[in-house]
Amino acid sequence: EIVLTQSPGTLSLSPGERATLSCRASQSVSSSYLAWYQQKPGQAPRLLIYGASSRATGIPDRFSGSGSGTDFTLTISSLEPEDFAVYYCQQYIRSPQTFGQGTKVEIK
Amino acid sequence: EVQLVQSGAEVKKPGESLKISCKGSGYSFTSYWIGWVRQMPGKGLEWMGIIYPGDSDTRYSPSFQGHVTISADKSLSTAYLQWSSLKASDTAMYYCARPLPFGGDLDAYDIWGQGTMVTVSS
């Protein structure tokens, strides 16, 4: 199974700052099979990015994804108050699909 | 509106059986896979398995194979996740989710149910 390792575990930032989240895979997931989700307390996850860089419907353009092979990045260009949450990456190139352990973006 | 609506929270004792549901609406239920994801308290997301309601083709994560059963009733537009003998370690939130329509059973999940909390305690 493909293991996804996210870093850092926690990111402490202020509104307006740029957030850079990393997801590293134990083997290549190409550039087409990596997604990012946002989860807030008490809510289901929400798809932000699929195919490593395509924004899902309704996702603001301050969210962007990049990367290929084994290294991927989610960037939030300027944090809004509603962006403080936990973020997960997911690979779906091979079954079983797997998720990273999550990065919490908290208010500094 | 496309949505998945899950059954309500459950409190069970170890050894009991349980079947939770996920009803799809606003789209052709038999044309999209439905996956199940576990989230233990305070923990991350774990993919459990997926079913295609059109023909009941089912795939399981090795971590969950043999411990749960995924099924679907296309006449009711409903997918199910069931246990025959619950353990305390099954205490978690369980989400159903529908993948994007591009990659079959292997795709990102853009539609999620609200989750069903299962608590197993003696």
Side-chain angles (χ1 to χ4, degrees):
Chain A
E1 120 178 2
I2 297 175
V3 177
L4 299 179
T5 302
Q6 294 185 238
S7 61
T10 302
L11 202 47
S12 298
L13 294 168
S14 300
E17 289 194 293
R18 182 183 188 91
T20 303
L21 287 67
S22 173
C23 176
R24 176 163 289 178
S26 59
Q27 51 189 285
S28 177
V29 299
S30 174
S31 60
S32 302
Y33 302 96
L34 195 286
W36 290 92
Y37 299 84
Q38 176 194 67
Q39 188 179 33
K40 298 179 182 179
Q43 296 185 16
R46 177 173 73 145
L47 178 64
L48 300 175
I49 301 287
Y50 65 93
S53 60
S54 297
R55 272 187 299 277
T57 302
I59 302 303
D61 60 7
R62 63 179 181 273
F63 291 93
S64 63
S66 63
S68 65
T70 60
D71 290 300
F72 298 86
T73 300
L74 174 70
T75 301
I76 310 171
S77 59
S78 179
L79 283 163
E80 297 288 337
E82 61 269 27
D83 299 337
F84 292 91
V86 179
Y87 293 83
Y88 295 96
C89 57
Q90 176 212 15
Q91 67 79 19
Y92 49 95
I93 192 172
R94 190 170 301 120
S95 189
Q97 303 173 36
T98 49
F99 293 89
Q101 81 279 17
T103 289
K104 182 179 182 180
V105 179
E106 65 175 22
I107 300 176
K108 186 175 181 179
Chain B
E1 179 192 5
V2 175
Q3 59 178 351
L4 298 172
V5 177
Q6 297 185 232
S7 50
E10 301 274 2
V11 179
K12 292 289 191 179
K13 291 180 166 38
E16 292 185 333
S17 63
L18 176 65
K19 191 174 190 178
I20 62 174
S21 66
C22 169
K23 183 174 176 61
S25 62
Y27 72 99
S28 175
F29 185 73
T30 54
S31 300
Y32 289 79
W33 293 78
I34 293 283
W36 287 94
V37 174
R38 183 175 79 173
Q39 188 168 39
M40 300 177 77
K43 302 299 184 182
L45 306 171
E46 301 173 271
W47 184 77
M48 301 177 71
I50 195 167
I51 188 166
Y52 188 71
D55 61 8
S56 292
D57 186 8
T58 308
R59 321 278 167 84
Y60 291 94
S61 166
S63 299
F64 292 91
Q65 177 95 47
H67 297 291
V68 297
T69 301
I70 295 171
S71 61
D73 184 333
K74 54 188 179 184
S75 68
L76 297 177
S77 298
T78 301
Y80 301 97
L81 178 66
Q82 69 180 87
W83 296 259
S84 59
S85 181
L86 287 159
K87 305 175 184 178
S89 57
D90 293 317
T91 294
M93 180 72 80
Y94 293 87
Y95 293 102
C96 63
R98 193 195 80 169
L100 292 166
F102 313 128
D105 64 313
L106 291 172
D107 215 325
Y109 291 95
D110 67 329
I111 306 294
W112 291 71
Q114 82 277 19
T116 295
M117 183 67 207
V118 174
T119 303
V120 184
S121 174
S122 54

